[in-house]
Amino acid sequence: MTATHERSGPQPSAAIVRDEVLTLGPDGQLVGIVSRPLTPVPAGAPAPAHAFLVLNAGVLHRVGPHRLHVALARRLAAAGMPGMRLDLGGIGDSVMSGEAATFRDSAVADTRAAMTGLTQALGARRFVVFGVCAGADNAQAAALVDDRVAGVVLVDPHVYATQPSKLRHLRTRLGELGGPREVARWAVGVIERRVRLTLARRRARGEPPPDSGGREPPPIETMRRELTALVDRGVRVLAVYTGIHEARYNHADQVFEMFPALRGRIDRVYFPNANHTFTELSEQAALVDAVVAWMTDSKRFG
């Protein structure tokens, strides 16, 4: 593991945060940026109880969509929680090791290697892992197999339509359409689209559903079992949902419609006006505020 300094960009916390480039893994094939408070740690001071780890959003470079990961990492470091934004193997500056059977296996192995590297760099032995989209899937997969994960932030994890969510979506659409003629025209269009979609799926079995970002959602029972396994083990979970899902997710508490037994056991936040990559800076700022408050809560990660 080696370290060099990377100049901080024009972020609000850049003046009090130091960024370092780390190479990680058995062959130094992984690259990450460690963010920590600029003030030197006094000799003999205890290691941080927890560190954060930010995974790639899909195949995007470690800066994240619209530099979300940079803003989040520096805010967390300024608030006293150091950690790293990581490039998984084959993304950004990191090299694929070629040993894993699948990309998911590779992502989990890289995440575990990054935690080992962070223990060497920072002394932290417990981690809170953040991921958007496929990054959320990788964070969840790593948490399931590594007890060092104390918490996960899952931004737009897999969602599943419920009967209430379908009715809410229908009411919204009817309210937008206006008169009965427009409603009838919309209903015919819905039927036609469903017929075309059914035929297309029959021609291309195995393809992920539309609007999934190329991710194949597991059966809802698998998602329920995995989330339950995490909270049973004491892993803290913050599920973050955006307004892109239409009938599949359209209410702050829909996660508890999908998984009733998890009510009171996981935390959730809903950004109905945000898109999947938090393009609007006001929405991104609200997300960063929520995540930083959650991650640095001493009652949660004391």
Side-chain angles (χ1 to χ4, degrees):
M1 179 177 64
T2 61
T4 59
H5 289 285
E6 181 186 79
R7 181 176 296 177
S8 295
Q11 300 294 319
S13 58
I16 57 174
V17 171
R18 181 178 68 202
D19 284 348
E20 296 175 350
V21 181
L22 293 183
T23 56
L24 308 147
D27 300 315
Q29 77 274 18
L30 301 176
V31 177
I33 305 297
V34 169
S35 295
R36 66 177 95 194
L38 184 62
T39 304
V41 178
H50 296 83
F52 69 83
L53 181 58
V54 179
L55 305 183
N56 297 101
V59 296
L60 295 179
H61 183 272
R62 61 181 174 264
V63 300
H66 313 290
R67 295 183 63 81
L68 167 64
H69 295 175
V70 177
L72 175 62
R74 290 175 176 165
R75 277 283 306 281
L76 285 167
M81 179 182 279
M84 177 168 63
R85 52 191 189 273
L86 174 70
D87 274 339
L88 297 169
I91 303 175
D93 293 318
S94 294
V95 178
M96 182 78 75
S97 66
E99 298 177 356
T102 66
F103 182 77
R104 177 59 45 73
D105 292 340
S106 175
V108 170
D110 291 346
T111 301
R112 301 181 80 178
M115 288 190 285
T116 298
L118 277 175
T119 297
Q120 296 171 8
L122 302 173
R125 297 184 179 276
R126 300 277 283 166
F127 302 91
V128 185
V129 187
F130 172 97
V132 177
C133 188
D137 303 341
N138 292 332
Q140 182 172 318
L144 286 166
V145 298
D146 199 309
D147 289 345
R148 292 176 294 179
V149 178
V152 289
V153 179
L154 310 175
V155 181
D156 274 340
H158 294 295
V159 293
Y160 306 86
T162 63
Q163 286 302 319
S165 75
K166 293 175 183 177
L167 290 174
R168 287 191 295 268
H169 180 62
L170 179 60
R171 284 197 299 267
T172 299
R173 292 294 292 125
L174 292 177
E176 293 171 349
L177 290 167
R181 181 176 298 177
E182 289 78 9
V183 171
R185 187 181 300 118
W186 172 76
V188 171
V190 168
I191 293 170
E192 290 177 345
R193 285 193 298 274
R194 287 184 176 177
V195 170
R196 288 196 300 270
L197 179 58
T198 299
L199 293 174
R201 286 180 177 173
R202 288 175 180 174
R203 290 193 299 267
R205 293 294 185 187
E207 292 187 1
D211 302 322
S212 68
R215 301 154 70 199
E216 181 68 47
I220 189 171
E221 287 301 328
T222 300
M223 192 70 171
R224 178 183 292 112
R225 183 175 64 252
E226 292 184 354
L227 289 175
T228 301
L230 290 179
V231 297
D232 283 349
R233 204 182 78 212
V235 177
R236 301 287 190 171
V237 177
L238 174 62
V240 179
Y241 300 97
T242 64
I244 67 167
H245 303 291
E246 298 187 340
R248 290 179 296 137
Y249 201 101
N250 51 32
H251 188 274
D253 281 341
Q254 189 175 323
V255 62
F256 303 124
E257 296 173 2
M258 299 186 294
F259 311 118
L262 293 180
R263 184 179 290 275
R265 305 191 70 195
I266 68 172
D267 299 308
R268 89 291 176 270
V269 62
Y270 180 43
F271 294 94
N273 299 318
N275 62 23
H276 188 52
T277 57
F278 287 83
T279 303
E280 295 292 332
L281 293 183
S282 60
E283 296 292 334
Q284 182 184 118
L287 170 66
V288 170
D289 286 345
V291 172
V292 170
W294 188 84
M295 280 196 184
T296 57
D297 185 347
S298 60
K299 295 179 180 179
R300 187 173 287 109
F301 299 109

